[in-house]
Amino acid sequence: MSQIKLSASKSPLHDNALDYLIDSLDAEDKQKFTFQLDILESRDARTRGK
């Protein structure tokens, strides 16, 4: 569930730690995380497009 693509230099260890953290969230917190991530990604896309 590595949805966050912060940089190309991010190591696989970071991916695994992030996956573990996200997978340990309960369903409601996962939904909140996904919602916030979607908002930030769309905001980032708009900012980069300008």
Side-chain angles (χ1 to χ4, degrees), residues 15-50:
D15 285 338
N16 291 340
L18 183 59
D19 287 342
Y20 179 79
L21 176 67
I22 294 168
D23 289 342
S24 69
L25 297 173
D26 63 28
E28 184 179 347
D29 286 338
K30 275 186 190 179
Q31 184 179 15
K32 289 176 185 177
F33 173 81
T34 302
F35 181 70
Q36 292 174 350
L37 181 62
D38 290 344
I39 289 171
L40 292 173
E41 287 179 335
S42 66
R43 188 179 297 167
D44 184 51
R46 284 193 313 256
T47 304
R48 290 177 188 250
K50 289 182 178 180

